[in-house]
Amino acid sequence: MAKFSIPKLGFLLLCCLAALTEATYMKYKDPKQPLGVRIKDLMRRMTLAEKIGQMTQIERTVATPDAMKNYFIGSVLSGGGSVPAQKATPETWIEMVNTIQKASLSTRLGIPMIYGIDAVHGHNNVYKATIFPHNIGLGVTRDPNLVKRIGEATALEVRATGIPYAFAPCIAVCRDPRWGRCYESYSEDHKIVQMMTEIITGLQGGLPVHSKKGVPFVAGKNKVAACAKHYVADGGTTKGINENNTVISWNGLLSIHMPAYFNSIAKGVATIMTSYSSWNGKKMHANHDLVTDFLKNKLKFRGFVISDWQGLDRITSPPHANYSYSVEAGVGAGIDMVMVPYNFTEFIDDLTYQVKNNIIPMSRIDDAVKRILRVKFVMGLFENPMADNSLVNQLGSQEHRELAREAVRKSLVLLKNGESADKPLLPLPKKATKILVAGTHADNLGYQCGGWTITWQGLGGNDLTTGTTILQAVKNTVDSSTQVVYSENPDAGFVKSGEFSYAIVVVGEPPYAETYGDSLNLTISEPGPNTIYNVCGSVKCVVVVISGRPVVVQPFVSSIDALVAAWLPGTEGQGVADVLFGDYGFTGKLARTWFKTVDQLPMNVGDPHYDPLFPFGFGLTTKPTHQN
């Protein structure tokens, strides 16, 4: 039997201990290690299945613990209106997110998943969240500091529900109001859209001083990863048809639709989402030149590129006609994370086959995974993967509602005020004997908020969430002695016999999102026009238009005394009354051209045939009044 001397035994023990320590010490789990070292260390440990799992984003309804563990899923999302329970509390959201996260952390390498949600005008899927004005209204303000503060508030409300990733902002330059997503665009002018990318700083936090260009940045647990979308030229499609073809030269693309991406990348945006649309006939989800060569290589974007919902399926027409081709084209183009969202085994199987058969090179997979891990490390997900209840009181907080109310005030545009400048109707007197409030949109919170609110397409009525309708705001604002009469669609006889001091008519579009909102006629929905004629024919009236874009108003302008574009103001209708009654002045200037007839479209400022009803930049102003 061999004999070990004591020193030799001690040395062997030390070696074993060192080996054990080496095995348990994983550099990627050490926040003190440089970012590059952590990424490299983790990637060398990963199998192909674990890498492809990271590239896969699935819907919460299929994100079972088994799915997360067995397929190493990298990301989960809520589709529009996909919630853990109707009117769910922040605590319910947190519990759901944490349940999914626990499954991710129980895998061999414990890579946390990243949960994403659309938060495009506040945390819009969530009951009792603050709903800010849609982007079309915010563009009117031309106030980057305001949108930065909205970004900060939105980040807190999203984190209040345990979610660290928001699919916002939409930085489309809408060139045709017939597009159903036009309200998600700040302006037809890229300079305003560029200015408004400051919301990214609000969502993610300000970049550290010596940041490398294009490296994503998220400043801790009170901030969220942002997503600039939809790359690129989604707002330029022919006739404004959603997901259609944008026909424009390379110079046109660079000068109109690309500039806001330069700003977003400079601000450290973590992710960029590709567009369903095409550029000169080439689907963006399959455009290697624009996604890899330009965005990643030329612009040095170092975050990850994510597809839109079933974006790979839609590379073919009809969608999903040749899915294996779609996977090859989309991933090959440079898409890093794929929003599958349901049939994830098909995606994983197809991509695995293609890598094993050298159809897609391993280098493409490694590029994708490196980018996804970079974002996860940068945002502190490895150190703080689990959500807690510390921010639940931020959801719908009074401070955020006051900010939204300020945003509403600043987003209103006064288009007409009396027959002449020396006889203005606005601001309205608070002390009046009797006021008529009329119109389909006067007492309808859902209409006020528009699409992407609680559900994908939006809802009508007042039961969707909490907020203040314009009718309620009027009642809150007028003198206690003033009688407010509400009639949704009064007939002319009722108006004439009512002895009203003046009337406020609130009409507009019903809620819609995306393709459902595409419109070739852009009319105020019935019975809006009828209400305008019945009321404004008999009494001094201000018409407030609630819409996601300019709509046909030319036939009514001569018969109304004052006209206000209120866009889609969100839950804080009090902001509308604040300005109508003179507590604050009108300051907003159109960030979109207001056409005379739809036959003129598309028509944008600078076009040779420019002949608008109200030009880009137009907006009458009023001074605040001090009424007793």
Side-chain angles (χ1 to χ4, degrees):
M1 186 174 144
K3 287 183 180 174
F4 283 106
S5 69
I6 298 296
K8 273 184 182 170
L9 198 63
F11 176 71
L12 277 172
L13 277 169
L14 271 172
C15 288
C16 290
L17 206 64
L20 204 66
T21 310
E22 177 61 30
T24 52
Y25 172 65
M26 299 185 178
K27 282 184 183 173
Y28 76 89
K29 289 190 171 177
D30 183 355
K32 295 190 183 73
Q33 291 288 345
L35 177 60
V37 170
R38 296 181 79 183
I39 294 169
K40 198 172 179 182
D41 179 63
L42 179 48
M43 284 192 65
R44 74 178 176 82
R45 300 169 189 272
M46 293 173 76
T47 63
L48 178 61
E50 285 164 332
K51 287 178 178 178
I52 288 175
Q54 284 302 301
M55 295 172 67
T56 310
Q57 185 181 63
I58 67 175
E59 220 281 330
R60 52 164 283 279
T61 48
V62 294
T64 62
D66 281 351
M68 301 306 292
K69 283 189 276 204
N70 297 341
Y71 294 95
F72 315 104
I73 300 296
S75 184
V76 177
L77 85 151
S78 275
S82 178
V83 297
Q86 290 305 305
K87 301 188 176 179
T89 62
E91 290 86 351
T92 304
W93 279 94
I94 288 167
E95 188 183 348
M96 175 197 70
V97 174
N98 281 346
T99 301
I100 298 169
Q101 189 67 281
K102 278 175 195 161
S104 294
L105 298 176
S106 72
T107 54
R108 184 178 75 91
L109 295 169
I111 304 172
M113 66 88 198
I114 181 172
Y115 197 104
I117 196 164
D118 286 283
V120 295
H121 60 143
H123 197 8
N124 51 258
N125 281 284
V126 177
Y127 183 59
K128 289 190 175 176
T130 310
I131 305 296
F132 292 91
H134 267 297
N135 289 355
I136 189 164
L138 298 180
V140 159
T141 71
R142 291 164 172 75
D143 186 345
N145 177 258
L146 175 69
V147 296
K148 180 185 173 183
R149 288 183 288 140
I150 289 171
E152 289 167 350
T154 302
L156 286 169
E157 297 210 10
V158 172
R159 282 285 193 171
T161 55
I163 296 171
Y165 178 24
F167 305 128
C170 176
I171 54 170
V173 182
C174 173
R175 303 290 286 175
D176 193 324
R178 291 174 291 188
W179 186 37
R181 300 194 86 144
C182 201
Y183 64 77
E184 296 184 59
S185 166
Y186 293 107
S187 178
E188 71 191 41
D189 178 10
H190 69 85
K191 292 189 197 72
I192 292 177
V193 181
Q194 286 180 275
M195 201 189 288
M196 294 301 167
T197 59
E198 191 58 17
I199 195 169
I200 293 168
T201 308
L203 290 164
Q204 296 191 158
L207 273 180
V209 184
H210 300 298
S211 277
K212 262 190 181 170
K213 191 196 171 201
V215 175
F217 177 73
V218 182
K221 289 171 74 175
N222 290 0
K223 298 293 179 183
V224 294
C227 179
K229 64 184 189 182
H230 308 83
Y231 184 81
V232 59
D234 50 338
T237 59
T238 304
K239 293 186 179 175
I241 297 167
N242 194 40
E243 304 181 19
N244 207 280
N245 188 27
T246 297
V247 180
I248 195 170
S249 69
W250 173 240
N251 284 343
L253 188 78
L254 281 187
S255 61
I256 296 172
H257 298 285
M258 197 69 82
Y261 286 94
F262 305 152
N263 298 71
S264 300
I265 292 164
K267 288 179 162 83
V269 74
T271 73
I272 289 175
M273 186 184 291
T274 39
S275 175
Y276 289 132
S277 58
S278 304
W279 174 50
N280 295 340
K282 175 88 173 171
K283 290 272 187 183
M284 279 307 311
H285 274 74
N287 197 319
H288 184 276
D289 292 345
L290 283 175
V291 176
T292 295
D293 295 343
F294 193 74
L295 180 63
K296 290 181 173 182
N297 298 342
K298 181 95 180 342
L299 300 185
K300 300 282 187 280
F301 174 61
R302 307 277 294 283
F304 67 79
V305 176
I306 185 169
S307 84
D308 207 334
W309 177 277
Q310 293 178 337
L312 260 55
D313 304 53
R314 300 193 205 188
I315 288 171
T316 59
S317 185
H320 205 82
N322 184 347
Y323 193 64
S324 61
Y325 165 75
S326 293
V327 171
E328 180 187 345
V331 175
I335 293 169
D336 304 310
M337 184 178 280
V338 175
M339 195 184 288
V340 178
Y342 298 114
N343 197 0
F344 58 90
T345 55
E346 181 188 22
F347 167 71
I348 289 169
D349 290 347
D350 279 1
L351 185 53
T352 304
Y353 174 85
Q354 290 178 16
V355 175
K356 285 183 173 172
N357 288 276
N358 299 318
I359 298 164
I360 288 180
M362 196 64 207
S363 58
R364 172 73 275 271
I365 302 301
D366 286 343
D367 170 59
V369 177
K370 187 183 292 181
R371 290 166 176 277
I372 292 162
L373 293 179
R374 182 180 289 129
V375 169
K376 289 183 177 185
F377 278 124
V378 157
M379 62 195 295
L381 213 47
F382 280 79
E383 286 69 59
N384 296 296
M386 305 301 287
D388 59 44
N389 289 4
S390 60
L391 293 173
V392 293
N393 64 341
Q394 294 288 338
L395 190 85
S397 72
Q398 194 52 41
E399 188 184 347
H400 296 165
R401 290 186 183 280
E402 288 301 327
L403 173 61
R405 182 174 168 182
E406 176 192 342
V408 173
R409 293 195 292 261
K410 291 179 173 175
S411 66
L412 303 175
V413 183
L414 181 56
L415 299 172
K416 181 181 180 181
N417 192 14
E419 287 308 314
S420 60
D422 56 343
K423 288 186 181 170
L425 177 65
L426 301 177
L428 298 169
K430 291 178 184 176
K431 277 188 177 176
T433 312
K434 199 173 175 188
I435 303 170
L436 173 64
V437 178
T440 45
H441 289 56
D443 189 31
N444 197 312
L445 197 60
Y447 283 10
Q448 220 169 273
C449 292
W452 289 111
T453 308
I454 305 301
T455 66
W456 175 39
Q457 291 293 321
L459 297 163
N462 292 333
D463 187 43
L464 70 165
T465 190
T466 52
T468 306
T469 67
I470 292 167
L471 173 65
Q472 189 55 54
V474 170
K475 289 177 175 175
N476 295 346
T477 307
V478 295
D479 190 79
S480 56
S481 64
T482 301
Q483 185 186 354
V484 176
V485 176
Y486 170 60
S487 175
E488 189 173 312
N489 185 28
D491 61 37
F494 174 82
V495 180
K496 280 175 186 157
S497 63
E499 296 183 346
F500 298 107
S501 311
Y502 55 82
I504 300 168
V505 179
V506 192
V507 291
E509 295 186 298
Y512 54 81
E514 299 191 48
T515 307
Y516 293 90
D518 288 355
S519 168
L520 294 176
N521 58 23
L522 298 180
T523 50
I524 289 170
S525 54
E526 295 295 346
N530 191 50
T531 309
I532 293 172
Y533 286 127
N534 286 349
V535 176
C536 299
S538 306
V539 63
K540 289 266 183 211
C541 75
V542 52
V543 172
V544 179
V545 179
I546 304 288
S547 68
R549 51 205 164 185
V551 289
V552 176
V553 294
Q554 190 183 29
F556 320 118
V557 173
S558 60
S559 63
I560 64 185
D561 300 285
L563 178 62
V564 176
W567 316 108
L568 296 169
T571 49
E572 306 314 302
Q574 191 63 48
V576 177
D578 286 344
V579 184
L580 287 181
F581 291 95
D583 290 334
Y584 294 82
F586 280 93
T587 56
K589 305 286 184 188
L590 288 178
R592 295 206 58 78
T593 297
W594 203 296
F595 58 86
K596 289 176 180 171
T597 69
V598 289
D599 300 338
Q600 297 175 294
L601 300 175
M603 177 175 64
N604 294 284
V605 64
D607 286 352
H609 65 288
Y610 199 66
D611 181 28
L613 182 61
F614 302 109
F616 176 89
F618 180 80
L620 303 172
T621 57
T622 59
K623 291 271 185 283
T625 57
H626 300 286
Q627 303 177 31
N628 295 324

